[in-house]
Amino acid sequence: MTVTDAHTDPTVDRWTAVCRLDDLVPERGVAALLERSDGTAVQVAIFRLLDDSVRAVQQLDPYSGAHVMSRGIVGSRGEEPTVASPVYKQVFALATGRCLEAGGKTPRPGLGAHLEPFAAEVRDGVVHVDVAGPA
Amino acid sequence: MTSEPLTSAQPDGRRHVVVVGGGMVAQRFVEALRARDTAGEWRVSLFAEEPRKPYDRVGLTRYFEVRDAEELTLGDPALWDDPLVDLHRDCKVVAIDREARTVTDRLGTVHAYDELVLATGSNAARPPIPGNELPGVFVYRTIDDVAELRGWVEAKREANKVTTRGGVVEKPVRGAVIGGGLLGLEAAGALKALGAQATVIEFGTHLMGVQVDLGGGQALKRLINDKGIAVRAETATKEMKPHRRTGHVGRMDFADGGRLDVDVVVMATGVRPRDELARSAGLPIGERGGAVVDLTCRTEDPHVWAIGEVACIEGRCLGLVAPGNTMAEVVVDRLLGGDAEFPGADTATKLKLSGVDVASFGDAHGRTEDCIEIVWADPTAGVYKKLVMSDDARTLLGGVFVGDAAPYASLRPMLGAELPGDPAAFLLPEGGGAPDLELPDEANVCSCNNVSAGTIRGAVTDHDCTSVGDVKSCTRAGTTCGACLPLVKKITETEMAKAGIEVSTALCEHFALSRAQLFDAVRVADLHSFSEIIERFGVRAEPSASPGRGSAAGRDSAGLASPLLHRGCDICKPVVGSILASLGNGHILSGEQAALQDTNDHMLANMQKDGTYSVVPRMPGGEVTPEGLIVVGQVAKDFGLYTKITGGQRIDMFGARVEQLPEIWKRLVDAGFESGHAYGKSLRTVKSCVGSTWCRYGVQDSVGMAVELELRYRGLRSPHKLKMGVSGCARECAEARGKDVGVIATDKGWNVYVGGNGGQTPKHAQLLAEDLTSDEMLRAIDRFLMLYIRTADRLQRTAPWVEEYEGGLDAIREVILADSLGIADDLDAAMAAHVEGYEDEWKAVLEDPEKLARFGSFVNAPTTPDPTLAYVAERGQKRPATPEEIAAGPDGPVDPSLTGPVLVAGATLEVRA
Ligand SMILES: Cc1cc2nc3c(=O)[nH]c(=O)nc-3n(C[C@H](O)[C@H](O)[C@H](O)COP(=O)(O)OP(=O)(O)OC[C@H]3O[C@@H](n4cnc5c(N)ncnc54)[C@H](O)[C@@H]3O)c2cc1C
Ligand code: SF4
Ligand code: FES
């Protein structure tokens, strides 16, 4: 395995190169440990869909407080691609992070009901995510 | 002699009703009174001669199956905790003083009453045949009777063992039943089930003479003979003679000169109303016994009522529970100021003998003047069906069904009504073109509990019932003998459809099929991937209105024929994953299957609340060597895991992080362990007691059998988790009857119980088969499990599956033991393929770098632990910190050393290429 360094340069763009698309299995997620522009760590769940596009949302599951969203099942509601929390099975839209089915549960105190979505795309076979936070 | 204050008016102004008799009808009386007397006008005292709460006498024969008298208890046990209800058990009433309005119990205590209800039922008759009191001659009426009968047969079986030079030879226990009516046949079936031979001695021309006519009786004899029960009709028993040596009953002599050697005799010749109290109180008694009552169930004394089998109403006593329950309701209504009257007896009956369908209702013998009888008979198949119609062939007067009672449930409520179309159509085998019957609301569907079609419809429309189960608990329909269940189901479903409540069995928005349908579809179409399956059987998405996302784009970029890019969901994907696994499609994480699995199956471990996993190595049968224990302990220590013994006799190690899992497995696999499948909807554990190898009482090697079962069924994917247990003797230390499959050793082999579970709604497993050899047992369990896997719903455990399977456990037993569906070979082959194809899922991952690569914590930092995990110490081990403890940080109770090194990623991230 070769390792290349991909530098994140906030002046060029806000994107972080995370991994190769090939590291991802279609319709499953992975977790990534990234850093916001203010230097704080953030865990991101990245999913590869069947058309080889990618989606990214926060890894923190607001209903259990555990960092597990990447381990949920990818599916769809209507035409909306979704992920279901592996803990209490809430269903979230992958594109927007919105919670579509809360299953009668409320999020843990201090956490929002929805997931934070992150822009994600594939460039030359490498997955890039924008975690810079509001500019 | 003590006595209560004799004034009837209670200090609280409540009136007092005393019920004598603690049987089925008395129970119904108390239940109905407490349900309807919402103002609490009445206090009720119940005096029962038997030492137990009222129980289900109709289900008495089930005692042999459940072996636990408690399970026959009727109704909601909370009834007896009601402050207005007083149950005196083992407290026979010996006298009534009508003048003083008191009763005296066997202890001499006197109790005052305002109203007295006699519900003393009947005694089993002991016909005056010489020898009728010999040891080994039984009647069949109470739990004590059947418990003694069982003990006797078992003792005889022991005594009949003869040790010869060739080994132990067992002579069969020979049983006879006097009386070929409903009860006699049920008793004969019970003798067979206890492993005894059975001969039914009938005085009349044919079996069940009260209910069925001669033609039906002949068809019935054929069916009974097929069950291995001999029948001797037109035979009077002259005498029963003791055995020379034992003094026990040994021989029956018949009036025709014939004789029969026997070890046990059951007398089932009818019942005698227990009217002795009424007699001595000077109340009028019917010609053939029973306390005479009018249509309000009142005796000559305005304060004394009689209900159930002891009541002589319309000139006769009725030996069925349904009219008794009706009488109970009538008296309750009267006590509360109503004007109900007994509407006439429903004497419909159905034989409860597994595999023998017999039912009759109304004027079964065609005694109505000018009536017409329509008969369908197939003597070779043992089928005889008859309808009795009015002279114009329109109004239904009665019917007899032998060998095929399918029309019974829907025709019985039509008694006295006009049948649409040609009545003969109702007798043809199913699908013979009989019109659908729309029952009038007042038609009585469940006669045991007096529930009309209207009440069942109301349960759906007004009480939000959406399943047969709901309707059963709401209306009580179908909760006694169960004969009406098919009809209850049909009415419920029709009504739900009418009310627009969808009786949908669709899995989710992606599949319109139920799990069972999908299983068959996938099996028959021979499909092996989710793509193929959803393509073929999935719900087609409507062409999207906005062409941008969805269809067109999908096809272009991915070249897929499917109109949807994203398909399936957290409901259907695991179901398909499980179906593919049950059908043997290789490792659950291979290829596309990986995307179908729940996180537990995906990680081959159980996710816990903080997102870490627990790991359970298999210890078949709960057996483990000291060396094995040391390895497990060392692994837990090295990886900092919390350890606990599970309810299924395993060791569970908690707190393993994703990236640690393969290392942990490697250590365990190297030491000879394998995956314990604690994460799967699959066989979890086979629990066992120590059995005959060590235990003083054990009769078989329960651990050995548990190991064999566990190794056979390990990794078998199923609609829900499966648990098993094996006990080495009847003491049942392994609690096997709380499992999906429970095996209990007998001195002759193994008894197999199915459909048990613990959890929120505990259920005892029911007996599937007795005294099987090891091979027979494995075959029975193979088939049971495969049938379940093929036909159960998603996340349906075996208990509800057995209950909802068409025909219940009896039908399942027929499929498994008699191959009634002709699929046994297929089921056997499927299980053989499973056993053949088993591989350890952990080992397979360790050997496959591609699968192994998925067990990193972060795609860009695969060995970095999740930095948010935090633990505190408790009772010498670690546990996840609570949010409050986390907020307090490492200066509070959180102990960073319990998590392992935390590396926060620097500015430079690795990209693997
Ligand atoms: C094996 C079997 C199968 C049956 N199957 C069916 C069936 O399929 N369908 C059907 O409709 N019916 C069936 N029956 C009949 C049904 O069980 C009875 O009709 C029903 O139990 C009658 O209820 P009861 O309350 O009138 O009498 P019981 O249930 O007999 O109760 C009377 C109780 O009163 C007690 N008692 C008597 N005298 C006194 C006293 N002086 N003081 C205190 N207590 C007293 C007795 O000990 C008894 O417990 C079956 C019966 C048996 C035995
Ligand atoms: S069930 Fe029987 S064999 Fe097993 S431990 Fe208990 S007493 Fe011993
Ligand atoms: S008719 Fe017996 S339970 Fe309904």
Side-chain angles (χ1 to χ4, degrees), chain A residues 13 15-19 54 119-124 126-130:
Chain A
D13 61 19
W15 297 89
T16 307
V18 181
C19 60
V54 289
E121 59 184 48
V122 183
R123 301 181 197 159
D124 294 333
V126 176
V127 176
H128 286 69
V129 180
D130 171 9

Side-chain angles (χ1 to χ4, degrees), chain B residues 126-127 129-138 240 247 249 267:
Chain B
R126 271 190 192 261
I129 302 168
N132 66 4
E133 297 284 351
L134 284 173
V137 180
F138 293 87
M240 286 178 273
V249 67
M267 293 194 291

Side-chain angles (χ1 to χ4, degrees), chain B residues 779 782-783 786 814-830:
Chain B
R779 195 166 58 229
D782 281 359
R783 292 177 184 175
M786 271 301 161
E814 294 285 307
V815 175
I816 292 174
L817 302 180
D819 195 12
S820 60
L821 295 181
I823 57 170
D825 289 345
D826 200 24
L827 298 177
D828 293 347

Side-chain angles (χ1 to χ4, degrees), chain A residues 28 31 33 43 71 74 76 78 108, chain B residues 509 568 573 594 611 859 866 883:
Chain A
R28 282 233 83 114
L33 189 55
Q43 296 191 30
R71 292 176 241 157
V74 175
S76 64
R108 293 275 291 268
Chain B
E509 66 176 77
K573 279 184 165 177
V859 69
D866 175 352

